[in-house]
């Protein structure tokens, strides 16, 4: 197929930004699916608060997915959010099948957020010179995901 969307970035900038954006779309789709799986299967004393917090995480991940995919398109790179691609390339650590105790859900969410944030921070660095607009988008994602990371940890923290 021809290249229907052109970019204002040069070829190398487009490659760097495009790869970072495509990978971010994949990680964020997986994060939203993991959070939904947890949402449907959480049990335990803190069910309600964990259940509601998972919806908040799903919303953030889906909003960020759309923003990253649209930025990829804007720089002339086709995003790939197919299930096959997500299953093969996601950097999230995953989530088990079946009912999960609320404390295990919290631990799992924290591990997945940690993995996604670490990869996002690598992409922040990679896009610094290639495309500051994409970098700025990633910085915003990281700020919110790190806030959620803190909030999830605080649910089980002890002094």
């Amino acid at each position: 197929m021809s290249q229907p969307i052109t970019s204002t970035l040069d070829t190398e900038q487009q490659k760097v930004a495009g790869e970072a954006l495509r990978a971010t779309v994949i990680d964020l789709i997986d994060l939203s699916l993991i959070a939904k799986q947890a949402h449907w299967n959480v049990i335990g004393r803190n069910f309600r608060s964990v259940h509601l917090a998972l919806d908040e995480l799903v919303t953030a991940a889906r909003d960020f997915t759309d923003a990253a995919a649209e930025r990829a398109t804007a720089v002339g790179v086709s995003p790939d959010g197919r299930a096959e691609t997500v299953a093969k390339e996601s950097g999230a650590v995953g989530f088990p099948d079946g009912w999960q105790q609320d404390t295990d859900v919290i631990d799992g969410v924290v591990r997945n957020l940690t993995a996604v944030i670490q990869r996002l921070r690598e992409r922040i660095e990679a896009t610094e010179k290639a495309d500051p607009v994409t970098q700025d988008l990633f910085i915003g994602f990281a700020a919110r995901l790190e806030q959620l990371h803190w909030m999830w940890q605080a649910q089980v923290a002890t002094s």
Side-chain angles (χ1 to χ4, degrees):
M1 171 175 239
S2 66
Q3 185 68 18
I5 309 297
T6 60
S7 178
T8 57
L9 302 177
D10 69 32
T11 304
E12 183 57 27
Q13 291 170 318
Q14 182 186 37
K15 180 178 183 251
V16 170
E19 287 174 4
L21 286 158
R22 284 178 63 119
T24 299
V25 166
I26 290 165
D27 285 354
L28 291 170
I29 288 171
D30 201 18
L31 182 62
S32 72
L33 294 172
I34 287 165
K36 259 310 177 190
Q37 177 68 18
H39 173 85
W40 297 321
N41 287 285
V42 64
I43 58 172
R45 178 201 259 155
N46 296 309
F47 162 80
R48 182 146 175 82
S49 62
V50 172
H51 187 77
L52 294 173
L54 286 162
D55 274 339
E56 181 181 14
L57 177 56
V58 169
T59 298
R62 287 180 177 169
D63 288 348
F64 295 162
T65 299
D66 194 50
E70 289 184 358
R71 177 67 188 156
T73 303
V75 300
V77 174
S78 173
D80 186 355
R82 297 172 297 156
E84 174 185 341
T85 305
V86 172
K88 187 168 63 173
E89 298 180 20
S90 175
V93 296
F95 195 81
D97 185 24
W99 306 114
Q100 300 297 315
Q101 194 62 40
D102 51 6
T103 54
D104 294 335
V105 168
I106 292 167
D107 291 342
V109 167
V110 169
R111 282 192 310 275
N112 278 286
L113 279 167
T114 298
V116 169
I117 291 165
Q118 286 173 341
R119 287 171 49 108
L120 190 55
R121 284 191 158 276
E122 291 168 7
R123 294 180 197 124
I124 288 169
E125 188 175 325
T127 55
E128 179 181 8
K129 288 191 180 356
D131 184 19
V133 175
T134 295
Q135 183 195 42
D136 185 57
L137 188 68
F138 289 166
I139 290 169
F141 296 170
R144 179 65 173 132
L145 292 176
E146 287 174 348
Q147 179 187 39
L148 290 170
H149 184 259
W150 149 60
M151 291 178 172
W152 279 95
Q153 289 180 83
Q155 293 184 71
V156 293
T158 58
S159 56

